[in-house]
Amino acid sequence: MKREHEEICGATSYGSGSGSKAESSTIGNPNKGKLWEEEQDAGGMDELLAVLGYKVRYSDMADVAQKLEQLEMVMGTAQEDGISHLSCDTIHYNPSDLSGWVQSMLTELNNPAAVNLDPVLGNSNSNSSILGQINHDPSKPQRQQQLVSSNQSQVYNDDSEYDLRAIPGVAANPPPKSESDSESTRKRMKTSIGSSGSTGYGSSSSSPQGIGVSGAVTESTRPVVLIDSQETGVRLVHTLMACAEAVQQDNLKLADALVKHIGLLAASQAGAMRKVATYFAEALARRIYRIYPQDSLDPSYTDILQMHFYETCPYLKFAHFTANQAILEAFATANSVHVIDFGLKQGMQWPALMQALALRPGGPPAFRLTGIGPPQPDNSDALQQVGWKLAQLADTIGVEFEFRGFFATSLADLEPEMLEIRPPEVEAVAVNSVFELHRLLARPGGIEKVLSSIKAMKPKILTVVEQEANHNGPFFVDRFTEALHYYSSLFDSLEGSGVAPPSQDLVMSELYLGRQICNVVACEGMDRIERHETLTQWRTRMETAGFSPVHLGSNAYKQASMLLALFAGGDGYRVEENNGCLMLGWHTRPLIATSAWQLATTESGK
Amino acid sequence: MVQHHHRNRHRQDQETVEENKGKRPKLFINDHVDILVEILKRLDGRSLGVATCVCRLWCTIARNDSLWEDLCFRHVSPPPSSVRSVVVALGGYKRLYMACVRPVLSRLGRVRRASWTRDEVQLSLSLFCVDCYERLGGSNSPNGRLVGELSPSSLMFLCKPVNV
């Protein structure tokens, strides 16, 4: 929000104060720092605060932050009614001038009057929770100041908290003494900041003292603010959230400014955070400018990306192994089995199953595989190639094998009759879906149709592996937040996977995830196919559709744990059992979930 | 180097034995292949690998897949016979051990210790199978571009050093 104000010289000018000379500048352009002729260097305006409506220059940032911190300290230590006059008595003529505003508050506090100040106190308390999350070391005033400034400014964005157009008070007639006091104070504070900065000027720095002590006024130095990457990390997250909010409110100008800022902030980070921020920023930019990503990419390209993802981290392997274990246990006594794979891709799941079937006591059953995949743009029969490879392997290990491939743009287009299902007495059927079902949620009625098709196939078992996240909520901001946390964990786990950074595998895996991020954030409607939902949501859906859960046994759990232990960085991965379903997560955050289902009929289950 | 050392030792043995003027029968291990096999059967993986470098006879014997099979299943109850045909078809026990069992065991910290369970071997088998599948080329199909392009790397994660 931008506000237009006229400066009233007598009231809030503090001599050659920094931000208080609002010389008819158009507030809309925060980069015109040159209009401000001050004794200090005229740095540019801080863009972030400018976007929020406050004009604070880069050179004054540390100063303002320190003042805010003092203010907070005083407010915290004052008697309950010691500072309340600030809300009623003080005139603020230029609220966008954060620096001057805070200064006026501080001079007020020098001359305390007794009025109630609950609202402001209440606000600073609510702020403390934000600050509390951030571990700031009190001995590092720089970091804390920046935090305070960014957090406080967000609070003050909300006008309704207190009426800034207050009745005239002491601030209207500042005694000349306070003017010089504040000037020298400001200079003193600046000096102290300058000396604690990297340039190391003048006297030693100390943590901010109360005002009124006029120390030696040395030459005003340009304060140097140390950019702390942890603090910029927090700023980055806040900026991302603010941008998402702006997008949701359709405030595209603001969103645009913020997106650019994200780019800057992301550059100061390292590792996973930077990559995640970059992908999210790109996705937001696409959403803002409506440059939607082409969905009709060569499926073999996505297959390649997924292969690299398969190799780098255990998620897909975990999915395959646990699903295979469930299918194996369901097929324990069958002589002829049929597996329908909703997303065949490269068929990496099936060699292990075939090998386990081959080693089954009693010999292998006849194994039939139906693979479903997206249509290829160049009409090459990718499915048939995969089927051929699997057939070769089956031949090697002595398993009778049959393969059929089906091209389908969407699973909802499939009809059970096309798949030539044989009756359950002849052949046991298993349906397997790894990261495929959530795409159906984009189409109304899609998932219901597919689930009823599955029921018509009368499977012995249905294995479902899905991402454990809610990226399908009705509000954009909620989806955005969820996705941010989810993909941050994922990228963290990739970083911890022990792969040397410029490895092609790692880059491709990240690209694979990046495309998902793009879809979650930038697309809408039918295009948004990455509609992940949590296990609980899927459970409800499956149970409503007429399936009952099958518990994955301890064998699956053991295999999964062992598999994870093999991965470098394996101690970060966790397998959890959740009511018979297995979840793989990174540290405390579950990321994917495998579940198994059977038809909830009166017939004997197993 | 090892070869040399062993040969020297053999020669020395022979010499010392000959010095004893036929009081004791000469024992040249290479004459008693069955004993040699029994000894080699009890070695661990690394030693078995070293043994293949000793001399041609040792090499032939040590490369015999049945020795490696014993190594894989040493502390596990004997698997059903069907396993052998599968493993042999997939590339043999030596490959299984080198490509999967050994990295799996070392990652899980079990190589030094004597015993490991069926599960580790099962897991190794599964991974081995996936690896073999990857190595199958799409030689027949004309459009094998995707299939041929990807080099077999599903076991790469086992080769990477842990906790770099």
Side-chain angles (χ1 to χ4, degrees):
Chain A
M1 283 208 302
K2 319 289 184 191
R3 301 188 205 109
E4 303 275 346
H5 296 282
E6 292 172 61
E7 179 65 13
I8 298 177
C9 287
T12 53
S13 66
Y14 301 106
S16 49
S18 55
S20 50
K21 287 269 190 281
E23 304 271 347
S24 70
S25 64
T26 50
I27 298 179
N29 193 343
N31 289 322
K32 287 204 181 139
K34 301 165 205 128
L35 285 179
W36 301 75
E37 291 164 27
E38 303 302 329
E39 57 177 13
Q40 302 96 328
D41 299 338
M45 295 294 171
D46 178 73
E47 285 179 339
L48 187 57
L49 288 175
V51 153
L52 296 170
Y54 293 103
K55 297 196 293 266
V56 184
R57 296 191 300 161
Y58 284 121
S59 49
D60 297 333
M61 290 281 277
D63 183 25
V64 170
Q66 193 174 25
K67 282 191 251 180
L68 282 168
E69 189 195 13
Q70 288 180 32
L71 190 59
E72 189 191 0
M73 271 175 19
V74 174
M75 282 201 240
T77 54
Q79 306 273 332
E80 195 178 39
D81 47 3
I83 46 172
S84 47
H85 65 101
L86 286 171
S87 71
C88 312
D89 294 343
T90 318
I91 299 182
H92 303 280
Y93 290 95
N94 188 7
S96 72
D97 167 23
L98 189 57
S99 174
W101 186 93
V102 177
Q103 191 56 47
S104 71
M105 300 286 267
L106 286 172
T107 51
E108 280 294 308
L109 291 171
N110 257 349
N111 314 313
V115 190
N116 203 0
L117 190 62
D118 272 351
V120 182
L121 261 177
N123 264 333
S124 58
N125 282 341
S126 69
N127 259 348
S128 62
S129 62
I130 303 174
L131 291 175
Q133 288 172 23
I134 306 150
N135 278 337
H136 54 266
D137 186 356
S139 68
K140 290 192 183 135
Q142 300 287 16
R143 197 193 298 173
Q144 196 176 9
Q145 286 154 24
Q146 286 287 26
L147 282 177
V148 170
S149 77
S150 54
N151 283 324
Q152 294 262 25
S153 59
Q154 290 190 4
V155 171
Y156 297 144
N157 214 1
D158 188 4
D159 269 348
S160 60
E161 296 289 357
Y162 25 78
D163 188 4
L164 294 181
R165 292 173 295 283
I167 49 179
V170 181
N173 310 306
K177 182 176 76 87
S178 72
E179 197 180 304
S180 57
D181 257 0
S182 52
E183 235 188 85
S184 58
T185 315
R186 196 179 311 115
K187 284 193 185 148
R188 188 204 138 269
M189 287 192 286
K190 234 186 258 12
T191 317
S192 73
I193 291 168
S195 58
S196 63
S198 56
T199 51
Y201 277 96
S203 49
S204 61
S205 73
S206 48
S207 46
Q209 305 295 322
I211 341 165
V213 177
S214 49
V217 176
T218 61
E219 211 174 296
S220 66
T221 57
R222 186 189 178 117
V224 176
V225 179
L226 297 170
I227 300 294
D228 186 341
S229 81
Q230 184 186 18
E231 166 246 312
T232 46
V234 172
R235 259 179 100 181
L236 179 60
V237 174
H238 285 169
T239 319
L240 279 165
M241 300 305 309
C243 191
E245 275 274 0
V247 168
Q248 171 159 295
Q249 290 158 7
D250 222 19
N251 186 348
L252 297 182
K253 258 182 69 180
L254 172 59
D256 183 33
L258 287 172
V259 156
K260 292 181 180 135
H261 210 77
I262 293 171
L264 287 173
L265 288 170
S268 73
Q269 294 296 107
M273 191 64 217
R274 173 205 231 135
K275 293 173 195 172
V276 172
T278 316
Y279 278 117
F280 273 92
E282 184 202 328
L284 279 168
R286 282 182 181 277
R287 196 182 176 101
I288 296 169
Y289 300 118
R290 300 184 206 277
I291 310 170
Y292 297 120
Q294 294 299 89
D295 195 43
S296 55
L297 268 181
D298 197 358
S300 63
Y301 174 62
T302 47
D303 280 359
I304 294 176
L305 292 183
Q306 195 177 41
M307 275 307 292
H308 286 277
F309 185 66
Y310 180 85
E311 285 146 27
T312 323
C313 44
Y315 300 104
L316 280 176
K317 286 199 175 80
F318 170 86
H320 292 171
F321 276 54
T322 45
N324 282 347
Q325 193 61 32
I327 297 176
L328 195 63
E329 284 165 11
F331 282 169
T333 51
N335 281 329
S336 179
V337 305
H338 183 189
V339 174
I340 301 168
D341 187 0
F342 278 174
L344 185 64
K345 306 253 166 41
Q346 289 296 303
M348 298 295 285
Q349 183 171 355
W350 308 115
L353 181 66
M354 289 202 284
Q355 172 254 309
L357 286 174
L359 296 180
R360 196 174 71 152
F367 181 65
R368 198 151 78 96
L369 177 65
T370 303
I372 298 167
Q376 306 285 313
D378 55 353
N379 285 332
S380 68
D381 203 348
L383 289 180
Q384 209 56 40
Q385 287 169 33
V386 173
W388 191 86
K389 243 175 108 174
L390 287 168
Q392 260 192 303
L393 183 74
D395 189 43
T396 318
I397 60 178
V399 175
E400 202 183 313
F401 180 72
E402 203 186 307
F403 177 81
R404 278 196 77 183
F406 278 101
F407 291 110
T409 323
S410 161
L411 289 173
D413 298 335
L414 273 181
E415 301 293 334
E417 301 81 44
M418 302 191 309
L419 302 176
E420 281 179 32
I421 310 288
R422 295 175 198 155
E425 306 81 48
V426 174
E427 156 176 283
V429 177
V431 180
N432 178 72
S433 152
V434 175
F435 300 144
E436 292 292 333
L437 286 187
H438 62 259
R439 294 162 194 263
L440 297 165
L441 299 174
R443 227 157 97 162
I447 186 71
E448 288 83 6
K449 175 153 192 299
V450 171
L451 288 178
S452 58
S453 305
I454 295 177
K455 286 205 299 200
M457 299 173 198
K458 297 206 188 61
K460 197 111 185 275
I461 192 161
L462 161 68
T463 49
V464 176
V465 181
E466 284 291 329
Q467 290 95 341
E468 174 65 12
N470 187 358
H471 296 157
N472 200 17
F475 299 114
F476 176 70
V477 173
D478 299 330
R479 292 205 298 270
F480 186 87
T481 322
E482 275 279 330
L484 191 57
H485 287 128
Y486 182 79
Y487 286 102
S488 300
S489 300
L490 261 182
F491 272 77
D492 264 346
S493 72
L494 280 182
E495 289 292 303
S497 70
V499 181
S503 125
Q504 190 197 23
D505 269 343
L506 194 59
V507 169
M508 301 285 243
S509 312
E510 287 163 5
L511 203 52
Y512 172 77
L513 294 175
R515 295 186 69 216
Q516 285 181 11
I517 294 174
C518 209
N519 192 278
V520 174
V521 173
C523 300
E524 274 308 327
M526 293 278 284
D527 289 332
R528 179 158 66 89
I529 52 174
E530 299 291 342
R531 293 180 183 245
H532 310 150
E533 288 196 347
T534 58
L535 181 60
T536 326
Q537 288 170 292
W538 283 110
R539 268 209 191 106
T540 321
R541 192 171 269 127
M542 300 299 271
E543 279 167 9
T544 323
F547 289 93
S548 66
V550 174
H551 282 215
L552 299 167
S554 55
N555 270 335
Y557 184 89
K558 261 195 293 183
Q559 263 212 325
S561 312
M562 233 193 307
L563 179 68
L564 292 176
L566 294 178
F567 274 83
D571 46 348
Y573 294 109
R574 301 250 180 283
V575 186
E576 276 171 23
E577 195 257 352
N578 179 331
N579 269 339
C581 303
L582 287 182
M583 293 169 96
L584 171 59
W586 175 254
H587 290 119
T588 51
R589 165 84 211 223
L591 293 171
I592 67 175
T594 309
S595 55
W597 304 89
Q598 64 190 359
L599 291 173
T601 53
T602 52
E603 259 222 288
S604 61
K606 251 200 63 105
Chain B
M1 275 189 293
V2 173
Q3 215 169 359
H4 207 65
H5 175 69
H6 275 263
R7 280 221 194 91
N8 275 341
R9 210 199 271 168
H10 282 158
R11 224 174 284 125
Q12 248 181 340
D13 280 345
Q14 271 184 314
E15 282 165 353
T16 46
V17 163
E18 269 169 354
E19 270 176 358
N20 292 345
K21 290 284 185 203
K23 276 186 193 155
R24 284 207 183 133
K26 277 191 280 191
L27 178 66
F28 185 33
I29 190 66
N30 283 6
D31 289 338
H32 305 268
V33 176
D34 47 347
I35 300 179
L36 181 58
V37 169
E38 286 301 312
I39 296 173
L40 290 177
K41 257 192 202 170
R42 286 156 174 77
L43 291 180
D44 66 303
R46 190 176 179 275
S47 309
L48 204 49
V50 167
T52 60
C53 309
V54 171
C55 64
R56 257 185 239 128
L57 177 63
W58 284 44
C59 185
T60 322
I61 296 175
R63 282 218 176 128
N64 190 325
D65 220 30
S66 57
L67 282 181
W68 296 89
E69 177 181 357
D70 283 338
L71 177 61
C72 286
F73 290 113
R74 183 170 298 164
H75 301 279
V76 180
S77 57
S81 52
S82 50
V83 176
R84 179 177 301 158
S85 53
V86 171
V87 176
V88 166
L90 290 175
Y93 279 98
K94 180 158 188 257
R95 256 207 95 225
L96 170 64
Y97 184 81
M98 295 306 289
C100 297
V101 176
R102 192 171 64 107
V104 167
L105 293 179
S106 76
R107 282 287 169 91
L108 299 176
R110 309 268 170 102
V111 169
R112 290 285 165 245
R113 279 195 282 143
S115 61
W116 51 80
T117 66
R118 200 69 180 270
D119 296 322
E120 278 104 348
V121 185
Q122 290 283 32
L123 184 63
S124 315
L125 261 177
S126 306
L127 292 171
F128 188 52
C129 195
V130 175
D131 180 52
C132 292
Y133 171 71
E134 267 195 303
R135 288 171 193 279
L136 287 175
S139 50
N140 252 3
S141 39
N143 291 339
R145 64 191 161 101
L146 176 64
V147 166
E149 264 170 22
L150 297 175
S151 54
S153 44
S154 68
L155 294 182
M156 284 295 282
F157 74 101
L158 285 177
C159 303
K160 289 178 188 129
V162 186
N163 295 331
V164 170

